[in-house]
Amino acid sequence: MAPKRILLVDDEEGLCRMMVAILTDSGYTVKGYTRSFEAVEDYRHGDWDLVISDIKMPGMDGLEVLGRIKDKSPDIPVIMITAHATVDMSIQALRKGAYDMLTKPFEPEELLYRVKNALKHTQLLTENRELRDELVGKFRFDNIIGDSPQLKDLLQKVEKVAIRDTSVLITGESGTGKELIAQAVHYNSPRKGKRFVAINCGALPETILESELFGTKKGAFTGATENRQGLLEAADGGTLFLDEIGNLPMNVQKTLLRFLQEQEFLRLGDTKPIKVDVRVISATNSDLMAEVKAGTFREDLYYRFNVVNVHLPPLRERRKDIPLLAAHFIKLQNEKFGTRIRGLSPEAFQSACDYGWPGNIRQLRNVIEACMAIENDEWISLPVLSQFIEVESAPAREDVEEDGYSAALSRFETNYLIGLLKKSAGNIDAAAREAGMNMATIYRKLKKYDIKKEDYS
């Protein structure tokens, strides 16, 4: 790892040389300036990890240095040094964006301690920003795999509802990707900079579920030795995802209804309400209206959750997406384990498209992973696939005769190539490297499927 780079400004030449020596001996790359205007003139965004500046200097003082540096690099930490620290001066520096104040005289150890803390703080900010950017990128709508009309209609609806701060109920069988859709809603909404907090309501007993959601007050029960924040508080400003809400106990249903109406709740054992700003997205694989009629789910809560309903169709109803999903999961496994499986053999491909996939996308992903763990060839064969799904007893596809393997493969390759070229901005060489093909193969397939530049530009 390259050493951290520090720009240092102090008009006292001896002190400037001493600080440069201390920091250099500690492994930092340091450049010292005794004239503030020269430091500001030479400063370039991205060249430095930290700035240290004296406040009281002739000409351009440290506060002006701070302001000009922050104009160029708002996120860079700046440590201000002063021999005459006053409350007013400190407030001015902090308002202008200073990270820390260091008062003269100081020991070398204190300088190094302040520098280390400032750089650590910046590293954490950078990591959080990169993680947030990665999550936003991961849950872009064009990263949700599929090309079926059902999925396209679904994503159009999700994209519209994401920017509107309303409750969403996601319905569908287990394994259809309900949490993925919930994350897509969150990370494409104005709340994307805050937390996405998820809980499976069917996995916890009632008492634990209550304390997890609402938190507990010190002394609420034996062992509650301190106040504990619940998930509603943790999600303040962001999104709370309640999975499998059909399993909510009636007592918790009542408390959640009050929260959805008032946007406030009580910690267990507390009498003072806590107000938070949380968007609630819920999901279920059960028929909630049937549960309402049976008296096991509150009707008023159902309508609070179900402001907008997003229904995920099972995989057997969007078979057109099976080749794309299989290719995606094979690519992920190859990247994870360094394998070079190229895909499914023609027979295995046809069987995968014919199969009913009762466990939906989750089952498909697990089966692909299992096949790749034992396959010795570069293609997943039918004998290997048949170890994990019942290929002979699989329900017949309604469109098998119409489409056939060749048509399905052509459609898959066409969509794959167009997506690949869009990702590489039309660069054939980059697309070939990404796909593990040579450029001649790419050109041949473009010609074969009559893919034109306007299809991917």
Side-chain angles (χ1 to χ4, degrees), residues 114-143:
R114 302 291 183 93
V115 166
K116 182 180 178 181
N117 278 351
L119 290 171
K120 183 177 180 181
H121 174 76
T122 306
Q123 182 180 349
L124 289 173
L125 287 178
T126 301
E127 288 173 355
N128 286 338
R129 189 183 306 111
E130 288 174 351
L131 177 59
R132 187 166 61 246
D133 291 345
E134 179 184 338
L135 288 171
V136 171
K138 181 179 179 182
F139 295 109
R140 290 200 319 266
F141 294 113
D142 56 1
N143 278 342

Side-chain angles (χ1 to χ4, degrees), residues 53-65:
S53 175
D54 192 15
I55 287 185
K56 198 169 182 62
M57 294 183 291
M60 184 187 299
D61 68 12
L63 292 178
E64 189 173 353
V65 170

Side-chain angles (χ1 to χ4, degrees), residues 319 350 353-354 395-408 411:
R319 296 182 185 274
Q350 188 70 66
C353 291
D354 289 345
R397 276 178 59 191
E398 295 177 2
D399 61 341
V400 167
E401 294 180 6
E402 178 186 343
D403 286 344
Y405 169 74
S406 297
R411 187 169 59 241

